[in-house]
Amino acid sequence: MSELEKLREILFAKEKQTLENIRERTETPSTRTRDVAEVLPGAIGLSHRKDPQLVKALREPVRESFEYAVDKNPRAFADALFPVIGPAIRKSIAESMKALVQSMNNTMEYSLSPKGFKWRIEASRAGIPLGEYILRKTLVYRIEQVYLINRERGLMVGHVQNESAVAQDADAVSAMFTAIQDFVSDSFSPDHRQLLETADIGEFTVWVLHGPYSMMACVIRGEPPRGVRDELAEILERINLQYGEALEDFTGDSDSVEGVEDLLGECLLLEQLASGEDSKKSAISPPLLIVLLLVGAALAWWAYSSFQERQRLQAFRQAVADTPGLVATELASDGRVINMRGLADPLADDLEQVMQRAGVGEVAVAADMAPFQSLDAEIILRRARQGLKPPAGVEFSMRGDTLVASGRAGAEWREQFLSRAPLIAGVASADASATFVRDEELLRQARMALQPPAGVVLGVEDQILSIAGTAPQRWIDAVPEGLESVDSFADIDDSALVPSELAALDRIVSQLDGRTFYFASGASLLDSRNTALQSAAIQLQEGFALAELIGRTLDVQIMGFADGVGSLESNREVMRLRAEALKRGFVAAGIEADRISTAIAALPDNPVVDESMRKAELRLELRPAVPTP
Amino acid sequence: MTRISRKVCIIGDFAVGKTSTVTRFVNNVFSEKYLTTVGVKIDTKDLELVDGRSLRMVIWDIAGSDRFSSAEFAYMRGAQGYLLVVDGTRKETLASALALRAAVEERYGALPFVLLLNKYDLVDEWSVSDAEIEALNKQGVLVLCTSAMTGKCVEKAFRDLAKSLTGVSAA
Ligand SMILES: Nc1nc2c(ncn2[C@@H]2O[C@H](COP(=O)(O)OP(=O)(O)OP(=O)(O)O)[C@@H](O)[C@H]2O)c(=O)[nH]1
Ligand SMILES: [Mg+2]
């Protein structure tokens, strides 16, 4: 070692050591690796921030190493990508589906079938595109059971089912699914890798969705739309994200997958939701049903009432047309009120009667009618009746424009009729010929009808019937009845008609009144065989009977007289006795005692003896009938 | 509650009594009638374990054969234990059973299993010697002489297997 060397040693020993260290670090690969490793992350970060050169440089090597890795172990990549790739694919499919749905919408836009229309309403109510709604509508399904099965062992990881599903040994079913899966792969797949995805068993469809270590078998009743599979796949992905490791290492202990059935249950929920929505759409929801019923009822009511309205209007129109004196120029109904314009004769029926005839019941009619004089025959007749006041029994009718009167009418009225009728609007001339019958004809009819007895004279002059003469009361009483069948007379004159009974009675009264029966001096006895008394009694009997027949009263009184010889008292006594004696005589001859009253004559103050006064007298008087109370 | 399930297979030559053994174990019945199994038949049976848990055994009764085809191998996949059934009256079924065991182990590794020498009720026709059983025991194989007809040791076979599957004895 030279001096210089030594000096250097003394001066730079420390630096030399440092240099030596640096040399060793730069030259030894292992230390360099460690150094670079220390700064590499920072360096890359810095470089990346500074300029894009690094990314460019790394692109190729990274790509190559990635390819290499995928090539070497594809399964690991598939498993790693599974949770990511599913949503990605589904998203792209969903996009294309949307386009399909859109085009279906457009197609349906022009479908005007009732069904299409109904679906359109329901879809808009559900707030989904029509096409999608149709897809759902045409595919009715329900997920009954879901099995999550460990594929390696066929052990059931989880199982959920609808309440309605028939309970089964889920473990056995899971194993069986796996066995079938194996069988299918083994038998039909050349590389033993294809997997069973769908199986149809009667009304059930089984969908098998495959995850990396497990499969999800869904037992579905009916035909599920394809889109449901995506939703199921999404659930399986979530399960895989959450339970990936537990599923990979599943040995049959449920602890490791606790909670997985909650996730599986979403399949049923999703199904129930979807199928619930479906059933809601296929069976109309109660509120909608009510609305539809109300609308239906309203429509039916509207149809019915508008039909009724038209019927009513038609009936009313007809009734108006059939009513004389009414002319409707406008007639319309606004549903509640019938509006009418036109002309109305004051004598026409009022609207209430018209409505009654139309049978339209309670309906409001607003009428704006101008008055006019109708030339309708019925109205002309009414006008004539009003103006000419025909007597009872006279009828009017129209023959063309001639007013014809018929029936029993007096000459005076007839004259009036003939002169005034042509003044009535609508009447050109008048004809009263039918109001009288010729006198001869009337007389003939009267004779026929009355069969007058002898002593009665009938006559007709100027339509007046005269009846004269005597006739039994019975016949007289029957005259009005007998004339009923005869054409009318202007009047009946029966002033000269006397009942024959009355005539006979008058005769009797004139014969018997004042009849005198004489007594001997001072005597008050009468010979009972006195013939005059006997015949008077017979006449009296007849008189009473006749009076009764014609309703008159025949008063009979016997008055006693005296000759004035002797005292006043004795005279009175004799008078009384004589009247009584004569009455006794009549009673003995058959006259009822109470039909005859007795009386005594008045005596002068100074009586003169007169023998002619030894008598008793009959006094008869015919009184009109006393009305019986 | 913890639910434990295990996949077990029952394999062996045809007509050795696999289906009969499972039926005896699951339903406790036996039939003389021979209906050969096609493919695989699956049953389950619950066993109470001494620790209070319940074990559901999912039993794959695989169609009998002396050699596995790919389908049978597929059915064996994921099995956590198996019963190897031999017809004690037919010596050759023991050989095929052992061949199956070897194939399974080659494919899926060593799995707990129990070897059943079935039809032990047919003592007159018995053709497996005690020496052979001894030899198997020496290999560590659990051998049981069973009878699906009488039910002898059938339950025990499954319980023993359950214990090796769970490490817990059946109650
Ligand atoms: N005596 C007797 N007969 C049995 C016994 N076990 C099964 N058998 C009879 O053996 C026949 C076959 O039984 P299976 O149980 O069907 O046999 P397996 O192994 O399922 O047959 P494969 O399904 O074809 O593989 C049937 O007739 C059974 O009655 C047993 O323990 N004793
Ligand atoms: Mg069988």
Side-chain angles (χ1 to χ4, degrees), chain A residues 153 169 171 186 251-252 254, chain B residues 3 5 7 44 56 70 80:
Chain A
R153 307 185 194 284
D169 184 342
D171 293 276
D186 187 65
T251 55
S254 63
Chain B
R3 197 163 44 76
S5 53
K7 171 176 178 175
T44 60
R56 171 158 292 188
S70 64
Q80 290 154 299

Side-chain angles (χ1 to χ4, degrees), chain A residues 151-158 169-172 175-176 178-180 182-183 186 192 250-255 261, chain B residues 1-7 40-45 53 56 58 60 69-72 74-75 77-80 108:
Chain A
R151 200 180 26 240
E152 171 86 348
R153 307 185 194 284
L155 287 176
M156 186 200 85
V157 178
D169 184 342
D171 293 276
M176 214 61 221
T178 315
I180 291 167
D182 291 339
F183 172 72
D186 187 65
H192 296 199
F250 189 75
T251 55
D253 296 353
S254 63
D255 284 353
E261 289 189 343
Chain B
M1 192 201 86
T2 306
R3 197 163 44 76
I4 317 171
S5 53
R6 294 289 184 267
K7 171 176 178 175
V40 65
K41 184 172 90 64
I42 288 152
D43 279 290
T44 60
K45 170 92 175 178
R53 292 183 302 170
R56 171 158 292 188
V58 181
W60 293 51
S69 71
S70 64
E72 278 109 43
Y75 297 144
R77 194 188 61 232
Q80 290 154 299
Y108 298 114

Side-chain angles (χ1 to χ4, degrees), chain A residues 409-432:
Chain A
E412 198 183 337
W413 179 85
R414 189 159 55 242
E415 224 155 273
Q416 242 183 27
F417 167 77
L418 289 172
S419 59
R420 281 173 53 190
L423 301 177
I424 289 166
V427 176
S429 58
D431 177 0

Side-chain angles (χ1 to χ4, degrees), chain A residues 151-413:
Chain A
R151 200 180 26 240
E152 171 86 348
R153 307 185 194 284
L155 287 176
M156 186 200 85
V157 178
H159 170 237
V160 290
Q161 67 175 34
N162 250 312
E163 305 107 59
S164 60
V166 184
Q168 273 159 333
D169 184 342
D171 293 276
V173 172
S174 298
M176 214 61 221
F177 264 133
T178 315
I180 291 167
Q181 189 69 252
D182 291 339
F183 172 72
V184 169
S185 293
D186 187 65
S187 309
F188 303 112
S189 160
D191 59 355
H192 296 199
R193 275 191 183 180
Q194 300 299 298
L195 295 169
L196 178 74
E197 303 218 304
T198 307
D200 288 323
I201 305 142
E203 57 180 322
F204 293 105
T205 300
V206 180
W207 273 356
V208 189
L209 294 101
H210 297 276
Y213 315 108
S214 51
M215 57 184 173
M216 189 165 84
C218 305
V219 182
I220 305 165
R221 185 190 292 277
E223 290 280 323
R226 197 72 200 166
V228 171
R229 201 176 174 107
D230 296 341
E231 298 182 68
L232 292 170
E234 193 189 22
I235 291 172
L236 180 58
E237 278 154 20
R238 287 221 306 280
I239 291 172
N240 271 295
L241 269 178
Q242 202 168 328
Y243 296 98
E245 269 173 47
L247 292 177
E248 188 178 357
D249 304 332
F250 189 75
T251 55
D253 296 353
S254 63
D255 284 353
S256 61
V257 290
E258 215 184 300
V260 75
E261 289 189 343
D262 295 341
L263 273 169
L264 276 184
E266 283 182 27
C267 298
L268 300 184
L269 269 182
L270 156 114
E271 282 315 287
Q272 265 164 355
L273 196 99
S275 63
E277 257 178 36
D278 236 275
S279 65
K280 215 193 276 169
K281 267 166 258 146
S282 52
I284 304 163
S285 68
L288 177 67
L289 188 69
I290 289 165
V291 168
L292 285 180
L293 279 177
L294 285 176
V295 168
L299 278 176
W301 182 83
W302 176 80
Y304 176 69
S305 62
S306 79
F307 167 76
Q308 260 209 335
E309 191 186 310
R310 265 181 288 129
Q311 290 284 96
R312 225 171 13 216
L313 189 62
Q314 186 50 41
F316 187 73
R317 192 193 306 281
Q318 190 58 49
V320 168
D322 290 346
T323 302
L326 282 187
V327 179
T329 53
E330 276 172 44
L331 195 58
S333 170
D334 70 355
R336 286 168 301 115
V337 180
I338 293 177
N339 290 296
M340 177 164 78
R341 271 169 172 283
L343 302 169
D345 190 289
L347 292 172
D349 290 346
D350 58 27
L351 288 177
E352 245 130 82
Q353 289 171 286
V354 176
M355 267 152 29
Q356 216 161 34
R357 272 202 300 279
V360 294
E362 295 278 301
V363 66
V365 176
D368 179 9
M369 308 298 274
F372 85 122
Q373 285 210 316
S374 169
L375 294 186
D376 194 290
E378 171 62 26
I379 298 298
I380 296 173
L381 288 175
R382 283 185 201 177
R383 207 173 293 137
R385 264 177 228 127
Q386 197 184 49
L388 300 172
K389 301 208 167 25
V394 172
E395 296 293 332
F396 286 167
S397 61
M398 288 301 288
R399 191 178 60 230
D401 51 7
T402 300
L403 178 64
V404 178
S406 56
R408 187 197 307 173
E412 198 183 337
W413 179 85

